[in-house]
Amino acid sequence: MPDRPKLGGPRRSRPQTVADAIKEWVVEKGLEPGDRLPGEAELIDQFGMSKGTIREAMRLLQAQGLVVTKTGPGGGSFVGKVSRDRAHALLANYFYFQNISINDIYQVRIALEPEMAAALAGKLSAEQLASLSAIMKAYETPAETAEEERAQHVASLAFHAHLAEFADNALLGFFIDFMAQILTDLTVFRRLYSQPNHELWRKGRDHQINLIQALKDGDSTRAWAIMREHMETARSLMEDQEAVVMKRFMAE
Amino acid sequence: MPDRPKLGGPRRSRPQTVADAIKEWVVEKGLEPGDRLPGEAELIDQFGMSKGTIREAMRLLQAQGLVVTKTGPGGGSFVGKVSRDRAHALLANYFYFQNISINDIYQVRIALEPEMAAALAGKLSAEQLASLSAIMKAYETPAETAEEERAQHVASLAFHAHLAEFADNALLGFFIDFMAQILTDLTVFRRLYSQPNHELWRKGRDHQINLIQALKDGDSTRAWAIMREHMETARSLMEDQEAVVMKRFMAE
DNA sequence: TAAGATTTGTTCGTATGTATC
DNA sequence: GGATACATACGAACAAATCTT
């Protein structure tokens, strides 16, 4: 639906108008990721706007992960499936300006992760269980240096992120994965977790070993309880770092 | 950090490069929402790129809510605070291509909302409690038509969204608010909830009345339990609609 | 390998709309 | 109202990527 061509800048910017129209189009026609969108040339005379304006519209959509463009013959714009990483980055931008403490993150983790563990009990394949055990190899022995400690913590978070990807519930999985990513980011870039603590290391490792067993056994009650205790332990480990907040844009 | 001017399209598109650089800049300098960014002209010779490229870069950032531009004298580009609504829309784009059932949403609500209720007990001001009661006026009497039923359900969701905005924990508040928004959207645009059910209406209303009392009394255990039951009831109300999923982009 | 075709990517010059003073 | 400063929009030409022959 082109509106009358006019030079200069109208109130609602023209690129935004085009972007909205294309979004609407995708929903109306029920387009799927990978489906082809009209090319630049086509859009130019469909909307009666210049190339630059159309391109700005495509950038608007590209930033949201809704379209992908390719050059060359057979190239053009396509409906893009918003990736998990991009959704993470976009959401992280919002929290960049909020004040999120480590404690806030753990309040949510404590509520959600046991729920996921319980839901996953008895539903994982042998391969999936094996891949979880494989991640745990990174922290078979206690860390001796602060560097090692951080590396192990990142691996331990990867364990949770990996578990989250197995969840049937994409909403639950996304939230959990998102928090694991934030904590990973903080660990790597803010150099958290300085003092190795063998006692807590052993506890956390035992929790995860027991959790895998409970998942294998299909014992959802036990999986819930173990994950709950695991999260409480992890939170206590972080209590003195609670002032640290996210102050960094995540990579897309 | 300008790179050498060169015509045509390199692998990583130039607008993306500029957008990344500006993002980095904001973080490095610790810029806050409202702070001024360099104008078009300045960026053009700072990066050695054309006007069009710079503008595409700004669109990339604008779509993410990271910059806002204003025309006229004193205008230009400014760091933008990503709004909650925008974050909602961006995240909803991700879930548009996932399969989220109503049941999935309730699994998360059941885990999170009681947690929030417990955390809020005894911490709300008289005004805040009053504003919650005010929302409840929209469903003082049972609905007779499907239309009324939907309107009441939207109001009831607004109750939860409103409560979420009072949460100290911005992460928890966002997740809960997000889910309420999705359900509202489904109710309005997919015309859910056709059959008025007086029994469930009374139950839900009583829950919320009791919840407000528990919040006022600072009884977090009771607030938790009431919210939990409230969520379970709400889920049972939706069980036959579980196949419905989000198939719509949210407004920004 | 190489040439040609197709489509997006980028530039430059120019003109217009908008808000402030 | 007029001047000014700024983003907004247009159009034509050229560069680069990538597929086909």
Side-chain angles (χ1 to χ4, degrees):
Chain A
M1 280 118 217
D3 51 5
R4 65 204 187 296
K6 199 174 60 172
L7 294 192
R11 301 195 212 304
R12 183 162 189 70
S13 75
R14 304 248 248 166
Q16 189 65 59
T17 305
V18 174
D20 289 345
I22 292 178
K23 247 183 182 171
E24 191 67 24
W25 212 68
V26 170
V27 176
E28 295 287 303
K29 301 255 178 179
L31 298 187
E32 296 287 318
D35 285 354
R36 190 177 196 84
L37 290 171
E40 274 185 7
E42 209 166 332
L43 292 171
I44 288 170
D45 57 66
Q46 196 129 19
F47 286 93
M49 295 176 193
S50 76
K51 177 163 182 150
T53 304
I54 297 297
R55 286 181 60 77
E56 286 182 37
M58 295 320 270
R59 292 299 158 274
L60 245 16
L61 295 168
Q62 189 186 333
Q64 302 172 62
L66 295 175
V67 310
V68 177
T69 63
K70 286 200 282 256
T71 61
S77 302
F78 303 85
V79 177
K81 177 168 176 167
V82 183
S83 74
R84 195 164 208 167
D85 283 354
R86 179 168 239 112
H88 275 165
L90 259 15
L91 186 55
N93 288 345
Y94 169 71
F95 288 115
Y96 178 88
F97 295 114
Q98 306 291 321
N99 270 356
I100 303 288
S101 71
I102 298 268
N103 241 344
D104 290 339
I105 297 173
Y106 273 91
Q107 184 179 15
V108 180
R109 289 191 90 191
I110 286 174
L112 290 186
E113 299 232 14
E115 195 66 25
M116 170 182 69
L120 246 36
K123 303 219 170 159
L124 296 183
S125 68
E127 289 81 19
Q128 290 175 321
L129 289 165
S131 69
L132 288 171
S133 296
I135 292 177
M136 291 188 59
K137 291 219 173 95
Y139 40 100
E140 252 171 348
T141 59
E144 294 304 332
T145 68
E147 197 65 36
E148 272 178 44
E149 173 77 6
R150 275 196 295 275
Q152 291 198 350
H153 190 248
V154 168
S156 155
L157 287 166
F159 178 94
H160 289 266
H162 206 62
L163 201 54
E165 277 160 33
F166 295 149
D168 288 330
N169 185 337
L171 188 67
L172 180 59
F174 178 87
F175 287 166
I176 291 175
D177 195 25
F178 179 68
M179 292 184 288
Q181 285 267 121
I182 289 181
L183 291 172
T184 299
D185 215 53
L186 289 175
T187 304
V188 174
F189 290 96
R190 308 283 293 222
R191 326 207 105 240
L192 257 46
Y193 306 96
S194 1
Q195 327 87 338
N197 184 324
H198 292 193
E199 156 84 355
L200 285 171
W201 163 83
R202 194 191 47 71
K203 241 185 183 170
R205 188 170 144 281
D206 286 353
H207 282 149
Q208 294 192 348
I209 289 173
N210 292 337
L211 177 61
I212 290 180
Q213 188 59 49
L215 291 173
K216 189 180 301 182
D217 297 344
D219 187 339
S220 61
T221 308
R222 221 171 109 245
W224 192 95
I226 294 169
M227 185 62 103
R228 175 84 184 200
E229 202 187 324
H230 185 46
M231 287 290 100
E232 307 265 20
T233 304
R235 178 172 63 177
S236 74
L237 178 60
M238 318 266 346
E239 242 154 21
D240 52 335
Q241 317 214 18
E242 96 182 69
V244 179
V245 293
M246 265 202 64
K247 265 303 175 190
R248 190 169 167 282
F249 287 125
M250 288 175 85
E252 45 169 302
Chain B
M1 281 118 211
D3 51 4
R4 64 201 188 300
K6 200 173 59 170
L7 293 192
R11 300 198 211 301
R12 186 162 187 69
S13 75
R14 307 247 252 169
Q16 189 65 61
T17 305
V18 174
D20 288 344
I22 293 179
K23 248 183 182 171
E24 190 68 22
W25 212 67
V26 171
V27 176
E28 295 286 304
K29 301 254 178 182
L31 298 187
E32 296 286 320
D35 286 354
R36 192 181 193 83
L37 290 169
E40 271 186 9
E42 208 165 333
L43 292 171
I44 287 170
D45 57 66
Q46 194 130 18
F47 286 94
M49 296 176 193
S50 76
K51 178 171 282 201
T53 304
I54 297 298
R55 285 180 62 76
E56 287 182 34
M58 296 318 270
R59 291 299 161 272
L60 246 15
L61 295 168
Q62 188 186 338
Q64 302 173 62
L66 295 175
V67 311
V68 177
T69 63
K70 287 201 279 255
T71 62
S77 303
F78 303 86
V79 177
K81 177 169 176 167
V82 183
S83 74
R84 194 168 232 194
D85 282 353
R86 182 169 236 110
H88 274 166
L90 260 14
L91 186 56
N93 288 345
Y94 169 71
F95 289 114
Y96 178 88
F97 294 116
Q98 307 290 321
N99 270 355
I100 303 288
S101 70
I102 299 267
N103 241 342
D104 290 339
I105 296 174
Y106 272 91
Q107 184 179 16
V108 180
R109 290 191 88 191
I110 286 173
L112 291 185
E113 299 231 16
E115 195 67 25
M116 172 183 67
L120 246 36
K123 303 218 169 161
L124 296 183
S125 68
E127 288 82 19
Q128 291 174 321
L129 289 166
S131 68
L132 288 171
S133 296
I135 293 177
M136 292 187 59
K137 291 220 173 95
Y139 38 101
E140 252 172 347
T141 59
E144 295 304 331
T145 69
E147 197 65 36
E148 272 178 45
E149 173 76 7
R150 275 197 295 277
Q152 291 198 352
H153 191 247
V154 168
S156 155
L157 287 166
F159 178 94
H160 290 266
H162 206 62
L163 200 55
E165 276 160 33
F166 294 150
D168 288 330
N169 185 338
L171 188 66
L172 181 58
F174 178 87
F175 286 166
I176 291 175
D177 195 25
F178 179 68
M179 292 183 290
Q181 284 267 120
I182 289 181
L183 291 173
T184 299
D185 214 52
L186 289 175
T187 304
V188 175
F189 290 95
R190 308 281 293 222
R191 326 207 104 238
L192 258 44
Y193 306 94
S194 1
Q195 326 88 339
N197 183 324
H198 290 194
E199 155 86 356
L200 286 171
W201 163 83
R202 195 192 45 71
K203 241 186 182 171
R205 188 171 145 281
D206 287 353
H207 283 149
Q208 295 191 348
I209 290 173
N210 293 337
L211 177 62
I212 289 180
Q213 188 59 48
L215 291 173
K216 189 179 298 181
D217 298 344
D219 186 340
S220 60
T221 306
R222 221 171 110 247
W224 191 95
I226 294 169
M227 185 62 101
R228 175 86 184 199
E229 203 188 323
H230 185 46
M231 287 289 101
E232 306 264 21
T233 303
R235 178 173 62 176
S236 74
L237 180 59
M238 318 267 343
E239 242 153 21
D240 52 335
Q241 317 215 16
E242 94 182 70
V244 179
V245 294
M246 264 201 63
K247 266 302 174 191
R248 190 168 167 283
F249 287 125
M250 287 174 84
E252 69 178 276

